[in-house]
Amino acid sequence: MDMKTSSGKKLGLKEKYRHMTRGLDWETTYQKREDVFPYVAYEGIKIHDWDKWEDPFRLTMDSYWKYQAEKERKLYAIIDAYAQNNGHLNVTDARYLNAIKLFLTGISPLEYMAHRGFTHAGRAFPGSGPRVACLMQALDELRHAQTQIHSLSNYNKYYNGFHDPAHMLQRVWYLSVPRSFFDDAVTAGPFEFMVAIGFSFEYVLTNLLFVPFVSGAAYNGDMGTMTFGFSAQSDEARHMTLGLEIIKFILEQDPDNVPIVQRWIDKWTWRGYRVLTLVGMMMDYMLPKRIMSWKEAWEVYFEQNGGALFKDLSRYGIRPPKWLDQISFDKDHISHQAWATFYQYGAIADFHTWSPTEDELDWLSSKYPDSFDKYYRPRLDYWREQAEQGNRFYNKTLPQLCQTCQIPMVFTEPGDPTKICYREVDYQGEKFHFCSDGCKEIFENEPEKFKQSWLPANQIYQGNCFPDGTDPTVEGFDPVSKVLEYYNIQAGRDNLDFDGSEDQKNFAKWRGMATSNE
Amino acid sequence: MAVAAIKEYRFESADRLENFHGNQLLFVGWEDHLMFCAPFAFLLPPDFPFQALIEDVLPGAYGYHPDFAEIDWAKVEWLRSGQPFQPQLDKSLADNGLGHKAVIRFRTPGLTGIGGTCS
Amino acid sequence: MSTVFIALQANEDTRPIIEAIVADNPHAVVNQQPAMVKIDAEDSLVVRRETIEELLGREFDLQELQINLISLSGHLDETDDEMKLYWNA
């Protein structure tokens, strides 16, 4: 319900915003202010006037509830219709579902972590404007986690690999990449969290995550995902705006804030870019009907859009993030490097991989004229030939991981896609290894934090990734099967090639039943 | 630079040597053969002979590649932490200066992957 | 020159909104994409309440845009009468 003044006239947007986001707090009397807000100073960010913060949408809690409720009604009408209509049989090809498994295990739990992070940041800030904004965003993120899990639970009734995303996030090797990204953010201070997630992730990178996923879902007949995607995105637009606002607010408050913010932008753009490798692979390899290549999406949403952003921020003394030359070179490579990784480690993943079809390979050749035929197509051709002869490649040896991003060391030297990039640092008598100059520098800035990285391969070797009570010293001990058990991946159903999988057979059978009278 | 923190921030490394029950990690990469997407991590005792690495460990990891059977080990060029390195085959990892989390690479002259594409 | 953009879901709610944006921003370029519409414009773009109301034939609260918004770029300023996107540089 809208607020009325005594004259019966409606408040203007600016007035209403002021009334509902200012003067809601109080001065402390019997406790010291720094005890009530213990996290606001230690990062070195100086804020002189919290009231300078303003949400450009001027959204207040009453309007927030009203519009969010409407979004939910729309969403659930479609989710119900989709389930009632056996919508899952309308997707282009059951291979597509593996992109959605990746979303459920790699992205949805991060929405929940974002909820926790914004709750914490909101509590930590003494200004009521940003507290209200953080509250709304925390609620949004919780809604995203819930609606995504709810929408995708429909697939869990029919297909493998959807059964335990929260458990897997804490354990499965490749999920340590998104998990550690968010753990790093929520264990930072509230200002770094806002720059990491509010700005670098939501503003600079989120379009790359949601637009391809949602358009991809639309292209591939997945109305359920398209709908929760759009519903979440309507919130993302607000988050992006807040992300930009928080940066401007911090930079305008004190010139001493500029170098601190710059280092966070460098760190979090690089970390977010590394996590998005998974999205690049999804776009180029996992959508049966392609929307655009990773490289094209990167050019539109990062280079063009980010270029305008950093030009604008230069008046505060902020420069574009570091390592952009390498990022620009690598847009021809990382999606192929990632797919090769998941293809060969397909025995220990919770989703299926496969050999791309001839027309898919041709599409990749046309989208990546400078790299695909030269470096990647011969490898995929070889693997396909071998698979056809019953010799499908499953790599069973654990890889070396980067200490910072936790991705296997698959990335190549800047400018040379034939050489793995090795970087190392000696710290307190121990060697630490990195995939890139970016990850190395991030470690060197905070070695005490990153030396604690829970690297899945190394944890397996330490004996920490078997079910309770496992004795690895018994005769004939099979570590891989025990690790899969610990992950709650069902060997032979959730993992291995799509070709011959239960998902493939069931989809073909059910689609046949849906389109004939047999 | 230290981590910004509200109180003393000190933790132990997650991969310190003592967590590996008497073994250590050795990372090995094969140059020009990116069919193996990343270097491998092996868990080995420090007194493990280098010769056994070549004879007993690497074949299981790299044997799928058609180039592997063609390797002339006498001609292989080694790198340790990116620097040229001449391993003594009859000596142990430790005696070859390979401590916990050491990284070595080997290049196999003349062998450059599937169709010469470094795959 | 920098580009701002606004992306909206393609549905019955947004059809008059997109028409209004096109009418108020002759320099804007409309890109139809699967299930969405992305409108790019050099430097700035404005969404006016009055134009939308004329096309809709009813009162319209600009905050209703929240429901069908997908993404945007640029600085934003929203009042009762208009929502503006712009870059300073």
Side-chain angles (χ1 to χ4, degrees), chain B residues 17-51:
Chain B
L17 181 59
E18 71 206 59
N19 287 357
F20 290 87
H21 316 292
N23 293 308
Q24 63 184 38
L25 289 179
L26 177 68
F27 302 118
V28 182
W30 184 7
E31 296 286 275
D32 309 327
H33 289 79
L34 299 190
M35 181 189 291
F36 306 98
C37 62
F40 287 129
F42 295 108
L43 184 69
L44 299 166
D47 60 0
F48 197 75
F50 201 93
Q51 185 71 41

Side-chain angles (χ1 to χ4, degrees), chain B:
Chain B
M1 194 189 299
V3 172
I6 51 171
K7 53 189 173 191
E8 191 184 318
Y9 189 95
R10 263 186 204 293
F11 292 90
E12 298 216 76
S13 152
D15 289 322
R16 59 195 183 277
L17 181 59
E18 71 206 59
N19 287 357
F20 290 87
H21 316 292
N23 293 308
Q24 63 184 38
L25 289 179
L26 177 68
F27 302 118
V28 182
W30 184 7
E31 296 286 275
D32 309 327
H33 289 79
L34 299 190
M35 181 189 291
F36 306 98
C37 62
F40 287 129
F42 295 108
L43 184 69
L44 299 166
D47 60 0
F48 197 75
F50 201 93
Q51 185 71 41
L53 178 74
I54 296 171
E55 286 174 6
D56 303 333
V57 176
L58 298 188
Y62 289 113
Y64 185 86
H65 202 292
D67 278 357
F68 190 78
E70 309 294 315
I71 297 175
D72 178 353
W73 288 98
K75 290 193 181 145
V76 166
E77 299 162 10
W78 295 88
L79 297 171
R80 180 180 59 194
S81 283
Q83 300 302 314
F85 159 62
Q86 198 60 57
Q88 307 221 278
L89 302 186
D90 54 337
K91 295 253 169 77
S92 69
L93 298 180
D95 291 340
N96 273 294
L98 299 170
H100 181 45
K101 293 166 77 179
V103 60
I104 56 176
R105 295 186 247 174
F106 62 100
R107 204 174 80 81
T108 49
L111 299 175
T112 51
I114 305 299
T117 62
C118 296
S119 264

Side-chain angles (χ1 to χ4, degrees), chain A residues 259-407:
Chain A
I260 303 176
V261 168
Q262 180 72 59
R263 185 169 67 78
W264 287 339
I265 290 176
D266 291 342
K267 171 183 174 183
W268 288 99
T269 305
W270 181 260
R271 290 218 7 74
Y273 162 72
R274 274 289 185 248
V275 171
L276 287 184
T277 305
L278 288 172
V279 179
M281 167 181 95
M282 186 275 293
M283 292 180 72
D284 283 344
Y285 285 87
M286 300 178 79
L287 298 179
K289 189 159 171 53
R290 310 299 207 253
I291 34 162
M292 55 166 70
S293 68
W294 162 253
K295 183 180 173 181
E296 288 166 331
W298 185 258
E299 286 167 353
V300 172
Y301 290 109
F302 185 85
E303 293 180 1
Q304 189 186 323
N305 205 30
L309 167 70
F310 285 103
K311 203 165 92 186
D312 188 273
L313 292 179
S314 65
R315 73 201 141 102
Y316 298 112
I318 290 290
R319 52 159 178 73
K322 276 187 169 179
W323 311 298
L324 286 190
D325 287 352
Q326 184 181 351
I327 289 176
S328 176
F329 180 84
D330 283 354
K331 70 189 174 192
D332 273 310
H333 302 283
I334 59 167
S335 64
H336 314 299
Q337 292 165 344
W339 180 254
T341 305
F342 281 96
Y343 180 85
Q344 64 193 262
Y345 285 110
I348 51 170
D350 60 313
F351 61 90
H352 301 296
T353 47
W354 53 84
S355 290
T357 61
E358 201 62 28
D359 72 295
E360 289 168 339
L361 293 170
D362 291 343
W363 182 87
L364 288 163
S365 293
S366 73
K367 293 294 181 184
Y368 294 95
D370 300 331
S371 63
F372 189 69
D373 287 355
K374 195 168 169 193
Y375 303 109
Y376 305 106
R377 192 163 181 159
R379 186 184 309 172
L380 293 169
D381 283 340
Y382 179 79
W383 281 341
R384 187 170 58 167
E385 283 162 26
Q386 292 298 308
E388 282 164 3
Q389 293 164 28
N391 190 29
R392 205 279 196 194
F393 182 37
Y394 289 113
N395 189 340
K396 299 274 179 60
T397 311
L398 297 178
Q400 181 187 14
L401 307 179
C402 171
Q403 186 77 22
T404 301
C405 70
Q406 308 201 6
I407 298 175

